Amino acid sequence: MVKAIEWKDGKVIMLDQSRLPVEVKFIDCTNYQIVAEGIKKLWIRGAPAIGIAAAMGIALGAQDITAKNYREFMKGLETVFSALLSTRPTAVNIKWAVERIKKLLKENKEESVSKLKMLLIEEAQKIHAEDIEVNKAIGRWGAQFIKDGDTVLTHCNAGSLATGGYGTATAPMFVAIEQGKKIQVIADETRPVLQGARLTAWELMQAGVPVTLITDNSAGALMKKGEINLAIVGTDRTVRNGDVANKIGTYSVAVLCREHKIPFYVAAPLSSIDFTISTGDKIPIEERGPEEVTHIFGACQIAPDGVKVRNMAFDVTPAKYITAIITEKGAFRPRDLKKLMKKDVNLDELRL
Ligand code: MRU
């Protein structure tokens, strides 16, 4: 399976996803500023993948800090934290990674600066390795919802390119195939930057999964014809009441699924669940530049000069449209998500 990111020989090696599928080019990030640039410019994208990139960026940035003690070291790191946190606002995974790292540093504040630097490299690699295991667990819990012969619709890219490997939305598909089920995948092209066409179609073809590419506005017609059995998407931030932020267009897919009585699932690692936010309307939604809409990759102009553009990168799907949220701990009704915060929760009673 393709690796979107890797820590190697003291550098962060990032697959430049903005060039896919035409060119497979890796970028050597030798400092945290390049990592931050890569996140902003979508060389790396997808919530879990940018969480991993942030952790690796912090480890990289830490190596260049000349500090004699914990206090000075933390002061130096603040600049790195804020550079990474300011890259993309919607995916909670960057914040999640920064908080996890701050906690680790606090727990080890008595250690020397050189030991702390080493711990950060280890932690970034641990976050990466754990993400792959989390994806596989999502796959095991999610495969039950896919039947032999099903056609699964997905939106954007929540595959191995968007994660440490294996993917979140793609994981139940992979496990279903491992279980011997014959399935088909339909990938929405996902305007404006075409993560479905360029990335999902590409990586599923590489993995030998039968995939058909459609324009975003085709999904409803195919549902009406009975050609889609279920939808599975990823998330950038899912909140306490089960509302889900994901790539723009996800909400429309969910509403269409409801109209056609098609189950709509969200694959959400716990690292993408923000229990500090109560409802989806409080999730910050990234708005990107107009050129993504007016031009195809800066090259071909498809709209008049100076046209007013609204380019929201994400939307929020209300919990009521979601059949289940599939996490590494099991699949749950959106309304039960908040119960996962309780220490004494009995997961067996909540799982679907
Ligand atoms: O703008 P992107 O490409 O970062 O958006 C990605 C998505 O919307 C994914 O569905 C989401 O991050 C989940 S990835 C497992």
Side-chain angles (χ1 to χ4, degrees):
M1 226 160 267
V2 253
K3 263 209 184 113
I5 191 161
E6 202 177 356
W7 178 276
K8 205 170 169 200
D9 304 328
K11 286 183 286 195
V12 178
I13 315 293
M14 201 182 266
L15 172 58
D16 181 355
Q17 299 186 30
S18 68
R19 294 169 188 264
L20 286 174
V22 180
E23 202 184 340
V24 179
K25 187 172 182 275
F26 290 87
I27 292 172
D28 281 10
C29 305
T30 47
N31 59 49
Y32 78 89
Q33 289 94 338
I34 306 178
V35 175
E37 186 187 358
I39 297 173
K40 261 193 197 149
K41 294 188 172 162
L42 311 185
W43 302 342
I44 186 144
R45 29 64 51 205
I50 61 179
I52 296 163
M56 290 185 179
I58 294 166
L60 211 50
Q63 309 309 310
D64 294 333
I65 297 173
T66 46
K68 286 187 227 52
N69 54 43
Y70 176 79
R71 204 181 50 79
E72 282 179 24
F73 184 58
M74 287 306 291
K75 204 164 165 246
L77 272 181
E78 274 312 324
T79 317
V80 181
F81 292 151
S82 43
L84 291 159
L85 283 166
S86 68
T87 52
R88 298 194 74 193
T90 304
V92 71
N93 299 61
I94 298 182
K95 184 168 146 265
W96 171 86
V98 168
E99 278 165 11
R100 175 165 161 165
I101 282 164
K102 280 187 178 166
K103 185 166 171 275
L104 174 87
L105 290 167
K106 205 167 165 198
E107 284 162 4
N108 289 279
K109 63 195 300 183
E110 305 307 329
E111 299 289 354
S112 67
V113 169
S114 58
K115 176 78 197 258
L116 293 175
K117 289 182 180 182
M118 217 182 65
L119 283 179
L120 290 182
I121 297 177
E122 284 169 10
E123 189 68 2
Q125 289 174 304
K126 205 167 147 203
I127 287 176
H128 189 188
E130 276 175 24
D131 185 69
I132 298 172
E133 291 315 307
V134 161
N135 290 179
K136 290 185 174 166
I138 287 174
R140 289 192 293 274
W141 290 113
Q144 61 176 314
F145 303 117
I146 306 179
K147 293 187 299 299
D148 189 25
D150 272 355
T151 297
V152 189
L153 174 74
T154 192
H155 189 73
C156 192
N157 173 264
S160 52
L161 287 166
T163 62
Y166 215 71
T168 59
T170 50
M173 306 174 199
F174 291 137
V175 174
I177 291 168
E178 278 160 27
Q179 290 170 344
K181 297 172 191 166
K182 296 242 176 318
I183 66 164
Q184 304 277 332
V185 179
I186 291 188
D188 277 345
E189 60 174 351
T190 318
R191 278 281 289 151
V193 292
L194 303 169
Q195 290 93 330
R198 295 186 304 106
L199 309 178
T200 303
W202 183 76
E203 67 163 270
L204 290 182
M205 285 173 81
Q206 299 249 322
V209 178
V211 56
T212 303
L213 177 65
I214 60 168
T215 56
D216 292 326
N217 37 17
S218 302
L222 287 180
M223 288 183 193
K224 195 154 173 275
K225 282 171 176 288
E227 292 187 26
I228 293 171
N229 302 98
L230 70 155
I232 312 180
V233 300
T235 177
D236 284 82
R237 191 184 305 227
T238 288
V239 297
R240 236 162 42 218
N241 72 342
D243 289 352
V244 166
N246 191 49
K247 179 53 55 193
I248 193 79
T250 301
Y251 171 50
S252 320
V253 172
V255 173
L256 281 170
C257 281
R258 171 60 50 92
E259 171 65 20
H260 295 91
K261 300 187 175 46
I262 292 169
F264 178 86
Y265 298 99
V266 175
L270 294 177
S271 61
S272 299
I273 302 180
D274 186 350
F275 288 108
T276 68
I277 290 187
S278 52
T279 58
D281 52 355
K282 299 195 176 76
I283 300 173
I285 299 294
E286 177 181 5
E287 298 226 11
R288 297 181 63 87
E291 61 293 337
E292 286 181 351
V293 180
T294 56
H295 290 70
I296 302 283
F297 297 107
C300 175
Q301 184 171 344
I302 53 167
D305 283 330
V307 68
K308 196 172 156 202
V309 169
R310 191 87 196 272
N311 184 14
M312 290 177 296
F314 301 96
D315 60 25
V316 175
T317 299
K320 68 173 182 181
Y321 291 107
I322 300 164
T323 311
I325 294 179
I326 310 163
T327 76
E328 63 268 38
K329 293 213 182 293
F332 305 99
R333 281 182 195 86
R335 65 165 185 268
D336 286 336
L337 207 59
K338 55 182 170 302
K339 297 185 185 155
L340 299 186
M341 292 164 71
K342 292 190 192 144
K343 281 216 167 60
D344 56 350
V345 63
N346 182 342
L347 292 179
D348 286 333
E349 280 176 8
L350 291 184
R351 281 192 191 110
L352 291 171

